[in-house]
Amino acid sequence: MLLKLEHVQKTYGTFSLDVSLRVEEGQVIGLIGANGAGKSTTFKSVLGLIHSEVGKCEMFGKSIKGLTASDKEKIGVVLAESGFSGYITVKDVKAIMSAMYKDFSGAEFEERCRRFGIPLNKQIKEFSAGMKAKLKVLVALSHDAKLLILDEPTAGLDVVAREEVLDMLREYMEDGTKGILISSHISSDLEGLCDELYMIGDGHIVLHEETDVLLSEYGVLKVTPEQYEKLDKQYLLKVKKEQSHYRCLTSQKMYYKENNPELIVENGSIDELMVVMLRGEEV
């Protein structure tokens, strides 16, 4: 087990976090939710940047408080608000990383920078948002990390830059021994990357499912008020009332397709499923 959280809790005023999740070798686990749902707080708890009040957080089979310096070198991190000074160059970053990590490969780092169009001698303040994001991910990948903790690594990027970042992560996972915990409010970015998704809302995990199951078996029913009144509701998870109809989230869309052929049953993107799950009401 690379990472295990069991009811890790933290309270800020009226906001309360209570999260359980796992990352095993060979797994990419996505944490999705709206801004302010608790994704960044979860990541900071995992990394020991804030003190959780209750619960268990283990990494590589150890409490995070018991991790050695060698253990910590096996963690690659990208935080949304982190980054290098704009006044240094990528060559300076290489020197810093070489001094910090014994397994840092300078030659491989430079080769990847060239491959992804990151100049070595230009100051970082002159980089585009996409170049800065790619650099942060490449740094996390450059010291033979066993586990990547990535908080919104694709935020603010265009489609091409986002896909380049995701390609880096797919390549990292190829040997089957590593793991990734990644958050994003652009959940569609994670559909082809993550093995499992945890959906967080108001600090709590509201849904945990294999990505393939979420995409193949979950769906959204769009029904009139009259249809809703007659509907068999046993497989509905949440319902969101719109101006003229209801949107109903189900984990058994084939049941409704087979038994209610007159209904509109949509596959729904993860974004749409998330909207109904987080903003809908209990049935």
Side-chain angles (χ1 to χ4, degrees):
M1 185 72 65
L2 296 177
L3 177 66
K4 180 168 69 173
L5 277 64
E6 292 184 352
H7 293 293
V8 171
Q9 299 177 22
K10 180 69 180 177
T11 301
Y12 290 110
T14 59
F15 176 80
S16 178
L17 181 79
D18 185 346
V19 171
S20 300
L21 59 80
R22 296 183 174 211
V23 183
E24 299 185 24
E25 288 187 354
Q27 280 191 324
V28 182
I29 301 299
L31 183 63
I32 62 174
N35 289 336
K39 300 188 300 293
S40 294
T41 303
T42 300
F43 280 66
K44 289 175 181 177
S45 296
V46 168
L47 295 170
L49 299 177
I50 59 174
H51 176 65
S52 55
E53 297 145 357
V54 180
K56 181 188 295 185
C57 183
E58 294 181 352
M59 196 176 294
F60 313 132
K62 303 178 181 179
S63 166
I64 59 168
K65 295 178 182 178
L67 295 179
T68 65
S70 179
D71 292 328
K72 292 177 182 178
E73 288 192 15
K74 295 299 182 184
I75 310 167
V77 179
V78 173
L79 296 178
E81 67 271 23
S82 68
F84 292 97
S85 166
Y87 294 93
I88 66 174
T89 68
V90 173
K91 289 239 175 170
D92 297 325
V93 172
K94 175 185 170 184
I96 293 168
M97 296 298 292
S98 295
M100 291 178 63
Y101 294 93
K102 66 178 185 297
D103 290 329
F104 177 77
S105 173
E108 185 175 340
F109 176 66
E110 281 197 15
E111 188 279 326
R112 283 177 167 171
C113 285
R114 293 189 183 97
R115 176 179 161 196
F116 287 99
I118 299 174
L120 301 178
N121 295 307
K122 186 183 288 188
Q123 287 185 318
I124 294 173
K125 67 178 181 178
E126 299 176 43
F127 284 13
S128 67
M131 290 164 60
K132 290 176 182 176
K134 286 187 283 186
L135 176 61
K136 289 200 289 186
V137 174
L138 285 179
V139 167
L141 295 172
S142 67
H143 52 89
D144 196 30
K146 186 81 170 172
L147 174 66
L148 297 186
I149 306 291
L150 308 177
D151 186 18
E152 303 283 2
T154 60
L157 303 185
D158 61 38
V159 174
V160 174
R162 293 206 315 262
E163 191 59 31
E164 286 186 314
V165 169
L166 296 175
D167 282 342
M168 292 182 201
L169 301 180
R170 294 184 186 102
E171 187 176 307
Y172 165 82
M173 290 296 297
E174 284 177 354
D175 72 1
T177 66
K178 302 179 176 72
I180 299 174
L181 175 63
I182 180 170
S183 77
S184 179
H185 66 277
I186 311 172
S187 54
S188 57
D189 279 357
L190 305 183
E191 290 181 4
L193 179 68
C194 295
D195 300 290
E196 298 177 13
L197 291 171
Y198 288 81
M199 189 182 296
I200 188 169
D202 294 327
H204 295 72
I205 300 299
V206 296
L207 182 67
H208 169 217
E209 190 61 88
E210 294 179 12
T211 308
D212 289 345
V213 172
L214 201 62
L215 293 173
S216 63
E217 298 182 15
Y218 283 62
V220 174
L221 284 62
K222 294 187 178 180
V223 299
T224 66
E226 294 76 18
Q227 289 172 326
Y228 180 73
E229 288 301 317
K230 299 175 182 177
L231 191 63
D232 179 353
K233 300 178 180 62
Q234 63 175 318
Y235 298 119
L236 299 184
L237 302 176
K238 286 288 185 76
V239 175
K240 187 172 185 295
K241 192 177 187 306
E242 306 288 353
Q243 191 169 8
S244 61
H245 65 277
Y246 290 87
R247 282 199 288 170
C248 309
L249 176 63
T250 178
S251 60
Q252 302 288 334
K253 69 182 178 189
M254 289 308 299
Y255 172 84
Y256 290 100
K257 283 186 174 182
E258 292 168 359
N259 291 282
N260 303 87
E262 75 283 2
L263 298 183
I264 298 174
V265 183
E266 298 182 347
N267 293 337
S269 65
I270 288 178
D271 285 330
E272 185 172 15
L273 301 182
M274 184 167 66
V275 167
V276 181
M277 189 70 195
L278 297 179
R279 297 182 60 191
E281 299 178 354
E282 299 291 340
V283 179

